[in-house]
Amino acid sequence: MLKALFPTLSRVRFMVQVLMLFLTVYGSVVVGHYLADKISSSLPALSCAYDQMNGGYCVLVPTQHMVSHQIGEAVVRAQQLTLQMVLPLLMVFLSFFAFFFVIGKAFCGWVCPLGTLQEWIGKIGRRFHIGVRRFAPGDLGDIRRVRPVKWLLLLGLVFLLPLLTGLGVTPHSLGNPFCDVCPSRIATTLLTGNTEELALRIDDGWKFGLGAIANILIGFTVVGALALRLPFCRICPLLAFNSVFQRLSPMRLAKPSRTNCGTCRICTESCPMDIPEISKEEGRKAYNEDCTLCGRCTEYCPQDGVIKLKWGSFALFSSSREYYKAKVKGELPDGTVKPVKFVKNAIKPASAATDAA
Amino acid sequence: MKLAVQPLTIAMALAAWLATAALAQHELHAASGQSAAAARPGNERIWTRQPLLLPGRTTRGERSSGTLIPQGIDAAHVTVFAAEGPAEGLRVDYPVDAAGAKIASVTSKIGNYHWVVAREETPELVKVASTAWYFNNPGNSPKDMLAIPKHELEIVPTPLPRERSRYREAQKWEFQVRFDGKPLPNQPMLMETEFGSRLPAVTDARGVATVVFPRDFTPQVAGAGDERRRAGHFVLTTEKAKDGRRYLTAFNYQYTQDPERNRSVAWGAAFGVLGMVAATPLLRRRKSSTEGGSEHA
């Protein structure tokens, strides 16, 4: 029964994503209306606080607020930085880590609502035979040139600007700049039928500018995701934030050695983040900062036991030749799916009837 | 030596500039950071005869205390109910003086919503003014606290706006009317706002009345200052007679303007479309990518 429902790791992940999308966007119907009832206000996924129906919200929200109000403003009042001011921020990080420890960066690949939406748009692109675009030499260029963007956004929009705003250097409108440019804010609120976040503030120049960037990003993401897998994740500051802690969670991607690896690069081809290191490197370097622990490289590795999804010393999923052969019959590494065989199912009863006769 | 002093001088000058700029901005905030409506000139005018608990001036940074001014009710004290904390702090009376009642959260570390009530009682009349106060610290949700009966006749928000949020113009919210802790069906209720709206409502079989907040902010208020600070007061009242005694209960709180007033969906959609157009070059078919996909078929 379980085998029929969840024949592949991808199917398990799909079901988890459906559940998590519901929980992160409409979760208040389960956990309750008040913030105090939410799962957490420090989730390692872009679960938006502007969505009034959500079940918990993203760690970057309290981080920006704490940096701006708790640290910046407190420093101005007291003219010094004390442990008392930093303590609430440390508590936010501790709360974040309590969740992050359990499944690590799988929050990106399995839980994040914006990641899920981008993946589903990508599936539509594959269905309509829109060719996959990659950050790779000969196509969109080296992925390593894009990677610093997420770190710059993390430092600039989550820490620096809120701090400067708290210190009174930059305008009050720049107190939570990442939320203002975050496309997940628009996507998740639209999913609840609320157009308020799509609309731009026209009474505040800074808010108008930041909101315009967010709307451009969501527009780009919706169309771009048809061809380029997970376009926003590549510059997501939460991915950078999660990467800081990725070695501290037992959940990880493991590629202990390359002895069996045929360097076929199918793992990189299957990777929605176009990570070349998974095929070229081994050990710590194979588990790259861009990895979202989606597990596709493990599914598409044609060698037994070369790539593993591990929690501590337990291998949760391990690559195998047999699994690979079965997997590519339904879906190619780049996500292209084989045509749905309606006829096959339609014929079954007839053949069964013949057998019975 | 000269080289060592120069960065220090620059750093000190930068720090001094930062502090000056910061203090200037914070003084600006402090001036406008009072409890929204209380800071607005002319707010002192009487806009209803119903009993009210109005927020007084607060100092920026005060997270565990506040001031409430009773209006239209003669109460010696206000009672603050908390959702959690030590037993002796779950219900505390605070005296009312000329400046109002200075109230506090159950402890300096526990915040969230607290329920505040003032009561005036004569042999003929029991008058109750009630409101909610949000203390900006973590704390339990008010769900269970609101469920506990506190007076004979009560108006209970089901629910209150989510923490750090408010009622808004044009939104639909539900309020339950209870008598002796039991829902009161077919009970008339009246909503009044400080901008002059008067809207009747009647409770259903569950004792719940649905109220649509009127879109009645005046252009002067709607166009002034920070979006979050544009707030107005409303009050819901209901009354019932029993055994020769009249019970009059009010719940007042604040609501803010409809955010659509100063937002533009058209601009938002235009920039969204711009993003979509910018992404279309990605959709051009590349020969190599289709070839790459077929080798595993």
Side-chain angles (χ1 to χ4, degrees):
Chain A
M1 175 70 177
L2 271 177
K3 186 82 176 168
L5 276 174
F6 305 109
T8 61
L9 183 67
S10 292
R11 178 69 67 84
V12 176
R13 194 164 71 91
F14 175 77
M15 298 307 285
V16 171
Q17 283 179 313
V18 171
L19 187 68
M20 290 297 127
L21 185 72
F22 174 78
L23 207 57
T24 52
V25 179
Y26 310 102
S28 69
V29 297
V30 180
V31 300
H33 160 80
Y34 295 104
L35 289 183
D37 296 327
K38 303 295 178 199
I39 300 163
S40 170
S41 58
S42 310
L43 286 178
L46 292 177
S47 178
C48 184
Y50 290 78
D51 164 17
Q52 295 287 315
M53 292 181 71
N54 69 1
Y57 59 79
C58 165
V59 66
L60 299 185
V61 179
T63 302
Q64 289 169 93
H65 284 206
M66 293 285 179
V67 170
S68 176
H69 300 300
Q70 202 77 33
I71 298 179
E73 291 182 8
V75 167
V76 169
R77 278 199 300 273
Q79 294 292 299
Q80 60 179 340
L81 186 65
T82 63
L83 182 65
Q84 190 78 13
M85 297 171 189
V86 185
L87 215 53
L89 187 62
L90 293 178
M91 290 303 291
V92 166
F93 290 166
L94 202 65
S95 171
F96 155 86
F97 189 70
F99 283 90
F100 187 81
F101 179 81
V102 183
I103 60 167
K105 289 177 82 182
F107 269 103
C108 291
W110 295 61
V111 177
C112 180
L114 190 62
T116 299
L117 293 174
Q118 290 177 90
E119 269 197 61
W120 292 355
I121 292 170
K123 284 180 192 292
I124 294 169
R126 298 299 84 72
R127 281 279 175 205
F128 284 91
H129 305 291
I130 296 170
V132 175
R133 304 298 299 270
R134 290 194 174 86
F135 276 101
D139 193 352
L140 298 174
D142 193 342
I143 184 68
R144 277 166 287 209
R145 281 160 54 188
V146 182
R147 284 179 184 161
V149 178
K150 64 178 179 295
W151 293 101
L152 289 174
L153 291 181
L154 178 68
L155 291 174
L157 297 185
V158 179
F159 289 100
L160 187 63
L161 269 179
L163 182 64
L164 290 176
T165 303
L167 289 170
V169 178
T170 47
H172 190 260
S173 304
L174 297 177
N176 55 344
F178 173 64
C179 290
D180 288 337
V181 302
C182 179
S184 189
R185 174 175 58 87
I186 300 169
T188 53
T189 51
L190 279 177
L191 285 177
T192 64
N194 179 0
T195 56
E196 191 183 316
E197 298 304 323
L198 175 73
L200 293 186
R201 286 271 299 272
I202 50 176
D203 60 339
D204 183 326
W206 288 107
K207 290 283 182 191
F208 181 85
L210 292 170
I213 294 171
N215 286 34
I216 290 172
L217 280 174
I218 189 68
F220 187 93
T221 302
V222 166
V223 173
L226 289 166
L228 178 66
R229 291 174 291 180
L230 308 179
F232 182 74
C233 299
R234 295 156 194 274
I235 59 164
C236 178
L238 189 54
L239 177 62
F241 193 85
N242 288 348
S243 298
V244 173
F245 301 92
Q246 74 178 46
R247 310 282 173 198
L248 300 178
S249 167
M251 185 81 173
R252 67 189 195 281
L253 191 74
K255 187 186 173 192
S257 80
R258 282 194 291 172
T259 47
N260 291 337
C261 177
T263 59
C264 59
R265 295 178 54 81
I266 301 173
C267 51
T268 295
E269 196 180 318
S270 69
C271 175
M273 297 292 280
D274 303 326
I275 299 171
E277 286 87 346
I278 185 63
S279 56
K280 290 180 182 170
E281 305 285 352
E282 62 184 43
R284 285 170 64 90
K285 286 182 180 172
Y287 182 26
N288 185 264
E289 66 181 53
D290 272 359
C291 180
T292 63
L293 287 182
C294 68
R296 282 184 68 84
C297 55
T298 322
E299 287 187 285
Y300 282 98
C301 174
Q303 302 293 340
D304 290 333
V306 169
I307 307 177
K308 293 172 185 171
L309 269 182
K310 292 183 85 173
W311 201 94
S313 56
F314 300 104
L316 301 174
F317 190 82
S318 188
S319 62
S320 89
R321 190 159 194 83
E322 285 307 306
Y323 183 94
Y324 166 78
K325 281 181 183 172
K327 180 72 184 164
V328 290
K329 280 180 187 167
E331 183 185 331
L332 298 181
D334 68 356
T336 304
V337 283
K338 300 285 178 69
V340 182
K341 294 174 182 171
F342 294 106
V343 181
K344 186 182 170 187
N345 291 336
I347 285 170
K348 261 186 181 175
S351 60
T354 314
D355 291 345
Chain B
M1 184 65 188
K2 199 174 181 181
L3 281 173
V5 170
Q6 261 184 345
L8 186 66
T9 315
I10 293 166
M12 285 174 68
L14 187 64
W17 174 73
L18 278 176
T20 313
L23 283 172
Q25 182 145 346
H26 282 285
E27 275 162 18
L28 191 68
H29 282 163
S32 61
Q34 316 298 337
S35 178
R40 201 163 51 241
N43 183 57
E44 292 76 15
R45 73 185 169 82
I46 308 287
W47 51 271
T48 179
R49 296 176 65 185
Q50 308 299 347
L52 301 174
L53 284 171
L54 294 172
R57 287 185 178 272
T58 54
T59 309
R60 190 177 174 82
E62 276 189 28
R63 300 168 74 93
S64 57
S65 65
T67 306
L68 278 168
I69 304 163
Q71 184 180 294
I73 187 167
D74 186 14
H77 64 264
V78 297
T79 307
V80 176
F81 295 87
E84 64 168 321
E88 67 277 10
L90 294 179
R91 179 190 169 139
V92 179
D93 291 342
Y94 293 91
V96 177
D97 58 25
K102 177 102 175 164
I103 61 167
S105 58
V106 59
T107 72
S108 60
K109 299 288 179 200
I110 300 174
N112 212 318
Y113 279 115
H114 286 48
W115 188 252
V116 191
V117 177
R119 183 182 173 104
E120 180 188 336
E121 196 168 349
T122 64
E124 298 81 28
L125 174 70
V126 174
K127 195 193 275 187
V128 169
S130 58
T131 189
W133 188 277
Y134 179 72
F135 291 104
N136 197 12
N137 270 324
N140 277 358
S141 83
K143 200 169 50 187
D144 296 336
M145 176 189 70
L146 291 175
I148 300 168
K150 299 166 193 75
H151 290 274
E152 296 88 344
L153 182 63
E154 294 176 296
I155 297 174
V156 184
T158 48
L160 279 160
R162 205 172 80 167
E163 297 92 322
R164 299 189 203 110
S165 182
R166 287 193 189 159
Y167 295 110
R168 286 175 170 180
E169 283 180 303
Q171 280 186 343
K172 195 188 279 185
W173 287 86
E174 292 186 340
F175 298 86
Q176 189 179 48
V177 179
R178 294 191 305 227
F179 193 78
D180 288 337
K182 292 182 182 137
L184 204 56
N186 301 316
Q187 173 70 15
M189 192 169 77
L190 179 69
M191 175 189 224
E192 290 175 73
T193 73
E194 73 165 284
F195 304 115
S197 298
R198 285 172 64 86
L199 304 166
V202 180
T203 60
D204 62 13
R206 300 170 296 142
V208 172
T210 304
V211 171
V212 179
F213 279 75
R215 207 168 184 275
D216 61 355
F217 270 58
T218 58
Q220 293 89 338
V221 177
D226 189 306
E227 188 182 57
R228 294 173 307 156
R229 302 188 198 289
R230 292 170 211 145
H233 290 285
F234 73 91
V235 61
L236 300 168
T237 45
T238 188
E239 61 178 284
K240 179 180 170 64
K242 188 185 178 190
D243 301 333
R245 208 173 192 196
R246 194 160 68 92
Y247 297 88
L248 171 69
T249 288
F251 167 72
N252 70 278
Y253 204 62
Q254 293 177 328
Y255 70 117
T256 56
Q257 65 168 356
D258 182 352
E260 299 290 338
R261 281 177 183 270
N262 50 14
R263 284 174 186 248
S264 165
V265 176
W267 272 113
F271 280 105
V273 170
L274 184 66
M276 289 178 176
V277 171
T280 48
L282 288 172
L283 306 185
R284 280 185 298 196
R285 188 175 290 276
R286 287 184 71 258
K287 204 179 172 188
S288 58
S289 64
T290 49
E291 280 173 356
S294 61
E295 66 187 76
H296 308 281

